[in-house]
Amino acid sequence: MLQDEIEQPLSLSMDPYTGTWTKATAAHLLKRTLFGPTNQQILDAVGAGMNATVASLLQIPAIGVPLAYDPAETVVPMGTTWVNAVYPSNATAAAATQNARLKSLGAWMVERVNTENDTIAEKICLFWHNHFGVSYTSDPRANYNYLMLLRQHALGDIKQLIKDVTIDPAMLIFLNGGSNNLYSPNENYARELLELFTIGKGPQIGPGDYTNYTEDDVAAGAKILTGYLVQGLLSDTETTTSSIFTSLLHDSSNKQLSAHFGNAVINNNGADEYSDYIDIIFQQAAVANYLSTKLYRYFVNYDITSTVQTDVISVMAQTMIDNNYMVLPVLDQLFKSQHFYDVAMKGAIIRGPLEMMMGMLNATSSAPNFDLATNSDMYLAMYWYSQTMGQELGLPPSVAGWPAYYQAPAFSKLWLNSTTIKTRFDISTYITVFTGLPVNGENFKINLLGFLNALSVPSNATVVIDDMVDVFFPKGATVGDKFVLKNILHGGLGDAEWQLQYNNYIADSGNTTLSDPIALRVGLVLNTLFKMPQFQTI
């Protein structure tokens, strides 16, 4: 059991955490902000301390671009990017290129998560990807630009993010904003802007009147948002997609909002009118409360009591308002709070499909290391495994995102059923004790020896199991569970035999007669550990 896993009174304080900074507290922080921290990352966080670790996590580093790897891509050379390239003028070739780029984009999305390093970037980008619930357009360039927009603002100004997403080609296509015009107002985006993206609906309090807005506000919003079109989709002349404002298609009348928005009137302001409207929306305190609730549910716990709402989320919301809707100060406060490190919060969230797969791979420093095409197809295979388990990147099932992030009362428990559990177990077996995931004549499995050698004292069976539990289980393990795992590690021959076998292997590490049995034992332990209930949570 980790050092601080003892019964403690539940704290709802957002005051700075003043308890002992241990491997357990550091591990909890990293498991919630990364997809799969390694043992060394956890130890480094212990050494750095809470403040320095949080500061290091709250960064969005630069990343690479998707690369062409499928021969169907005929516009750019293999190994270069297509994100600002045209399409072939021939329809058949254009369709093949489109498919090749979709494959490249899917592989890139998974690769980003597998190579996340020491920042919250991928976790918070997935949060926004779910928050807006946009599905792929037909043009991978538009999808790439949209994903990079989310990344650009991931820890920044939420109001500006909302403004930019509103007129982004991917959103204009997804919620029919590109066909919303003076002559045929479309309410799809106007409704979701209020209900899902900013202020939340709340209980109905009258005919067409909800806690935070009215149906008339939705209708007014649709008129405000008229006039934007999308150009460049699958173009053989334009190198990217873009949105353009057409004044002739814009409703130039004055728009009256309800008392929920102070009876504000949005005057005609052409291409900037949508921005004026969003400014009005963000003047309402309910926006900060709604967004803080979603951040809390994603990073802390889906179970939000009235006390949590009052003592925790309201504090986050005020911090958000005080910092002009910047994300970073809110998460900085949350990750340094007494409440975040409550024992009750650990293991409260079921791992999603990506968290499950990368919890195995990232924590063991395992990544494909073949040629570009094989690596990409490996990542594409992981993409489809995630889809099989209920989470297909780029294609949330609805505008609300994946149900496990919002659907009461089950929330993250929705990731688990008889089918998805079997898939989880099958993947675990393939990458630990079988030959690995087969792609293009190659097999990818966990870096078993590399993982073992990076543990604190690999020759000590007790320490090996302790480290594994620290890395993979949010609340430690029982003495009985550790006994089972250690017995698998040394094959029932005792700690001394494990030490002897490991030292023999280290003395002649290139000898597969010595290394293969060690790798097999580690794989058997991990396969068992990954199928335990404790691993399914973070």
Side-chain angles (χ1 to χ4, degrees):
M1 182 172 289
L2 292 172
Q3 186 173 334
D4 64 355
E5 296 299 325
I6 57 177
E7 287 297 321
Q8 301 175 10
L10 180 65
S11 169
L12 292 170
S13 173
M14 286 296 286
D15 290 340
Y17 176 74
T18 56
T20 306
W21 184 247
T22 66
K23 195 176 183 184
T25 48
H28 175 63
L29 172 64
L30 295 187
K31 286 168 187 173
R32 291 300 176 86
T33 53
L34 303 178
F35 279 89
T38 66
N39 187 63
Q40 190 58 52
Q41 285 177 309
I42 297 170
L43 293 175
D44 289 346
V46 175
M50 179 181 69
N51 291 338
T53 300
V54 171
S56 178
L57 286 166
L58 294 178
Q59 299 181 56
I60 307 293
I63 55 172
V65 292
L67 301 177
Y69 79 92
D70 189 302
E73 169 64 67
T74 58
V75 178
V76 301
M78 296 298 99
T80 65
T81 188
W82 45 262
V83 299
N84 288 307
V86 299
Y87 284 84
S89 55
N90 176 274
T92 301
T97 297
Q98 175 192 26
N99 186 60
R101 292 178 181 182
L102 284 170
K103 290 171 61 178
S104 170
L105 183 69
W108 175 77
M109 293 175 74
V110 178
E111 181 183 21
R112 281 173 47 180
V113 180
N114 187 214
T115 56
E116 64 180 342
N117 296 319
D118 298 307
T119 82
I120 198 175
E122 299 311 322
K123 265 291 181 77
I124 190 66
C125 283
L126 181 61
F127 170 82
W128 290 118
H129 183 27
N130 175 75
H131 177 76
F132 292 108
V134 171
S135 291
Y136 277 161
T137 70
S138 61
D139 193 332
R141 299 175 307 176
N143 305 331
Y144 168 78
N145 291 337
Y146 170 71
L147 293 171
M148 291 306 291
L149 174 62
L150 299 185
R151 187 181 184 88
Q152 176 189 347
H153 294 295
L155 291 176
D157 185 342
I158 304 175
K159 187 195 299 185
Q160 189 59 51
L161 173 60
I162 295 288
K163 290 181 179 181
D164 290 349
V165 165
T166 296
I167 59 171
D168 183 85
M171 181 62 83
L172 288 173
I173 294 168
F174 179 60
L175 287 180
N176 308 110
S179 58
N180 179 26
N181 60 70
L182 168 66
Y183 307 103
S184 181
N186 188 298
E187 296 183 356
N188 282 1
Y189 183 77
R191 182 175 304 281
E192 308 307 354
L193 175 64
L194 296 174
E195 181 176 347
L196 296 178
F197 301 159
T198 58
I199 201 167
K201 190 173 187 178
Q204 187 166 352
I205 57 178
D209 190 0
Y210 312 104
T211 305
N212 294 322
Y213 63 87
T214 69
E215 287 295 325
D216 288 341
D217 290 322
V218 173
K223 295 177 181 179
I224 291 167
L225 296 164
T226 53
Y228 277 90
L229 300 174
V230 175
Q231 64 180 10
L233 281 176
L234 301 174
S235 173
D236 61 352
T237 59
E238 297 182 51
T239 59
T240 190
T241 59
S242 61
S243 59
I244 57 171
F245 179 75
T246 305
S247 58
L248 291 176
L249 297 177
H250 177 64
D251 187 322
S252 60
S253 66
N254 295 332
K255 293 84 176 178
Q256 175 73 55
L257 301 181
S258 73
H260 293 296
F261 300 99
N263 296 307
V265 175
I266 305 295
N267 298 313
N268 178 46
N269 195 18
D272 294 323
E273 191 173 326
Y274 79 96
S275 180
D276 299 338
Y277 177 43
I278 291 171
D279 285 340
I280 294 295
I281 295 173
F282 270 77
Q283 289 176 11
Q284 318 311 312
V287 174
N289 187 78
Y290 177 77
L291 294 171
S292 295
T293 299
K294 292 200 72 171
L295 285 167
Y296 179 91
R297 184 164 279 141
Y298 184 78
F299 284 108
V300 185
N301 190 7
Y302 62 81
D303 185 16
I304 299 178
T305 65
S306 59
T307 308
V308 168
Q309 191 74 57
T310 300
D311 294 350
V312 177
I313 293 174
S314 65
V315 176
M316 294 170 61
Q318 190 59 52
T319 298
M320 186 178 289
I321 293 170
D322 292 344
N323 287 276
N324 298 314
Y325 286 89
M326 296 294 288
V327 180
L328 192 150
V330 179
L331 294 183
D332 182 75
Q333 177 187 45
L334 178 64
F335 297 150
K336 294 177 181 177
S337 69
Q338 295 277 2
H339 178 67
F340 183 77
Y341 296 100
D342 285 338
V343 172
M345 300 302 104
K346 298 174 183 178
I349 298 176
I350 303 292
R351 292 178 190 261
L354 271 180
E355 286 165 330
M356 175 265 172
M357 285 198 300
M358 298 309 164
M360 296 187 291
L361 300 181
N362 293 12
T364 57
S365 300
S366 303
N369 188 27
F370 307 101
D371 58 78
L372 173 62
T374 301
N375 285 348
S376 298
D377 280 338
M378 289 283 185
Y379 283 125
L380 200 60
M382 296 179 206
Y383 178 99
W384 292 120
Y385 278 123
S386 182
Q387 186 272 336
T388 300
M389 293 184 286
Q391 189 173 35
E392 183 175 357
L393 290 176
L395 289 168
S398 77
V399 65
W402 286 280
Y405 294 120
Y406 69 83
Q407 189 168 303
F411 291 100
S412 63
K413 295 175 184 176
L414 293 171
W415 292 126
L416 300 181
N417 57 50
S418 58
T419 300
T420 59
I421 279 288
K422 181 181 184 303
T423 303
R424 288 179 179 224
F425 286 3
D426 287 347
I427 293 172
S428 165
T429 301
Y430 271 108
I431 65 176
T432 55
V433 296
F434 283 5
T435 55
L437 300 180
V439 172
N440 297 348
E442 302 285 359
N443 290 282
F444 171 59
K445 62 187 302 184
I446 280 180
N447 180 14
L448 297 169
L449 293 176
F451 169 64
L452 172 66
N453 293 336
L455 298 180
S456 303
V457 187
S459 61
N460 186 312
T462 298
V463 175
V464 167
I465 298 304
D466 284 345
D467 280 352
M468 287 185 179
V469 167
D470 291 351
V471 168
F472 296 111
F473 289 177
K475 299 183 74 171
T478 65
V479 172
D481 285 341
K482 287 188 176 184
F483 175 82
V484 169
L485 294 172
K486 188 164 73 167
N487 199 56
I488 295 172
L489 182 69
H490 57 52
L493 300 177
D495 292 12
E497 182 62 24
W498 169 258
Q499 182 176 28
L500 176 64
Q501 290 185 17
Y502 180 81
N503 288 339
N504 287 340
Y505 144 65
I506 288 296
D508 188 10
S509 59
N511 186 341
T512 56
T513 302
L514 299 174
S515 62
D516 284 355
I518 294 290
L520 175 62
R521 305 313 305 183
V522 174
L524 290 170
V525 173
L526 290 178
N527 187 38
T528 301
L529 185 151
F530 292 152
K531 293 174 181 176
M532 288 180 164
Q534 300 96 312
F535 174 72
Q536 308 305 322
T537 66
I538 54 173

